[in-house]
Amino acid sequence: MNRASVRARIVGTGMYVPERVVTNDELASMMDTSDEWIQQRTGIRERRWVNDGQTPVDLAKAACLQALESAELEIGDVDCILLATLSPQHDFPGTSFFLHEELKAGEIPCIDLRAQCSGFLYALNFGDALITSGKHERVMVVGCEVHSTGLDISTNGRDVTVIFGDGAGALILEANRDEEDPAGILQIRLHAQGRHAKRLWIEAPSSGTSPRLDQQMLDEGRHFPRMEGRQVFKHAVTRMPEVLLEALSAASIKVDDVNLFLFHQANLRINEFVSQKLEIPEEKVFSNIQRFGNCSAASIPMLLAEVDRNRQLERGGIVCMTAFGSGFTWGSAVLRW
Ligand code: COA
């Protein structure tokens, strides 16, 4: 079998969010903000936060088990786990290793990938390459974030804190060699620009300082995420349409021929802007930021799992997924469902 005729198709999806719902009004009881401000600027109504003791691995495990169940597969059928996160459970080893143990994944390889809110698309790119190169038959791709344990819940952190939520999404990629079945990833395009790394980042702890974290850093809140919100917004609304068109053009597909657009759930206003710019009709864009906030690397696989669960997509339909995030990173993937 010629390698070029192998495509990576999605055979199972799953998602999980913690039970604890945190409404905008609840945030307003912790800091100077309001439901009106948050909804107007971001579209978010509520998000989920983990309960005490609930870990990223707990979320990822539930999403992975659902993905395996929907694919009618066992963990023993998977050859590799790729986990995208910006909120690893520990500094090292990565979250994927603790997930590996929880899933009883034997001795298959696993790795964490860190490309923040574009992390899932980066992981999907590597999963696709592992399959189309013939290295693996099945790859589990996971996005998992627990933001809530690392947010500044005072008024100082309100610009960032109101945006983020906790959640996990997972999918299983499988080699498709069936020439009658066109399902699979068609094109992925990724970019990064490290020049902007400090526009959305967490400074400490850092292995570039000794000690990595001290009382002064804590007092100054340097362990909390910091963001130049307007710059992020400006770059996102430029880069997302750019890379979306680049991926579609590489796949020889027109914007009008796409059945469903899944955008990273950073801010509903960013996504509305992108849709308007590309004249994408509202009904072709699925969002869940209103209920879950920005779950970074987990946002797109969570969307995909919901779409799959609700049967919102016919087999053969074209899906275009586009993200932007810290790094800065951005990317777009086009697939036939
Ligand atoms: N509640 C109430 N007021 C808030 C607030 C909050 N949660 N966060 C910020 N403000 C205040 C600011 O302090 C500022 O007050 P001031 O005018 O008295 O100084 C005012 O609102 C405007 O702040 P600004 O940062 O200019 O607002 P904005 O219109 O740029 O909206 C964001 C802020 C964060 C919603 C917006 O910049 C954004 O969405 N950026 C992109 C963020 C993103 O997508 N991040 C994730 C990328 S993966």
Side-chain angles (χ1 to χ4, degrees):
M1 173 66 59
N2 166 350
R3 282 183 180 186
S5 63
V6 182
R7 285 178 305 282
R9 72 171 165 204
I10 296 170
V11 292
T13 63
M15 67 160 281
Y16 183 77
V17 289
E19 298 75 30
R20 182 178 169 202
V21 176
V22 177
T23 62
N24 292 342
D25 284 337
E26 190 176 342
L27 289 182
S29 71
M30 303 171 192
M31 63 187 80
D32 183 12
T33 189
S34 66
D35 178 46
E36 192 194 355
W37 193 97
I38 299 170
Q39 287 213 45
Q40 231 173 45
R41 306 283 175 120
T42 71
I44 300 167
R45 291 197 303 265
E46 59 189 41
R47 73 285 296 138
R48 303 296 180 94
W49 283 8
V50 289
N51 285 309
D52 276 352
Q54 208 172 15
T55 65
V57 169
D58 295 333
L59 311 190
K61 180 183 178 184
C64 290
L65 291 178
Q66 207 182 82
L68 284 169
E69 193 186 333
S70 85
E72 297 180 7
L73 293 169
E74 310 273 333
I75 186 64
D77 299 317
V78 173
D79 303 318
C80 177
I81 302 171
L82 304 176
L83 185 144
T85 189
L86 66 72
S87 52
Q89 189 157 319
H90 299 282
D91 258 4
F92 75 88
T95 301
S96 59
F97 297 88
F98 298 95
L99 174 67
H100 187 282
E101 172 59 10
E102 283 297 313
L103 291 174
K104 303 279 170 258
E107 296 184 358
I108 63 169
C110 65
I111 189 171
D112 279 28
L113 285 141
R114 299 188 51 183
Q116 301 66 248
C117 294
S118 309
F120 175 76
L121 294 185
Y122 269 69
L124 193 69
N125 187 51
F126 292 118
D128 180 46
L130 288 170
I131 285 176
T132 55
S133 67
K135 262 218 152 99
H136 292 312
E137 279 298 296
R138 289 195 196 92
V139 177
M140 186 178 258
V141 186
V142 193
C144 173
E145 305 291 0
V146 171
H147 283 297
S148 61
T149 50
L151 296 172
D152 179 356
I153 53 167
S154 75
T155 297
N156 284 337
R158 63 183 177 176
D159 56 335
V160 175
T161 298
V162 300
I163 293 176
F164 288 123
D166 301 340
L171 59 79
I172 294 162
L173 287 179
E174 183 180 83
N176 177 10
R177 296 188 176 80
D178 181 352
E179 296 190 353
E180 308 293 306
D181 176 4
I185 294 172
L186 303 176
Q187 289 289 340
I188 302 179
R189 289 292 183 274
L190 303 173
H191 296 281
Q193 206 175 19
R195 182 191 313 164
H196 303 292
K198 294 185 180 177
R199 291 191 191 273
L200 176 51
W201 72 319
I202 296 183
E203 186 183 351
S206 160
S207 56
T209 61
S210 181
R212 294 180 177 189
L213 184 67
D214 62 21
Q215 192 55 50
Q216 189 182 342
M217 293 176 195
L218 289 170
D219 292 344
E220 291 170 2
R222 284 151 69 185
H223 60 302
F224 290 129
R226 275 182 282 164
M227 171 176 80
E228 292 177 30
R230 294 214 163 178
Q231 284 298 326
V232 174
F233 199 102
K234 204 177 97 190
H235 283 261
V237 297
T238 310
R239 295 309 199 175
M240 288 174 70
E242 226 174 70
V243 71
L244 183 155
L245 292 177
E246 185 190 342
L248 284 181
S249 157
S252 302
I253 289 171
K254 295 191 188 68
V255 171
D256 286 349
D257 296 333
V258 175
N259 300 87
L260 185 68
F261 291 88
L262 302 178
F263 295 125
H264 170 51
Q265 304 290 289
N267 181 329
L268 202 58
R269 307 300 162 229
I270 292 178
N271 296 346
E272 285 167 356
F273 208 95
V274 174
S275 299
Q276 273 165 22
K277 200 163 173 175
L278 299 176
E279 298 181 9
I280 297 170
E282 230 175 87
E283 63 275 12
K284 284 194 177 181
V285 182
F286 180 62
S287 303
N288 61 15
I289 190 171
Q290 301 89 335
R291 291 172 285 134
F292 303 134
N294 177 352
C295 298
S296 297
S299 282
I300 290 183
M302 283 165 60
L303 284 173
L304 204 58
E306 285 201 295
V307 164
D308 192 15
R309 217 53 80 247
N310 301 335
R311 307 244 178 280
Q312 278 166 286
L313 198 58
E314 305 265 311
R315 280 279 154 203
I318 299 287
V319 186
C320 179
M321 308 183 275
T322 306
F324 182 88
S326 156
F328 288 155
T329 51
W330 62 102
S332 188
V334 187
L335 60 88
R336 192 180 293 280
W337 190 243

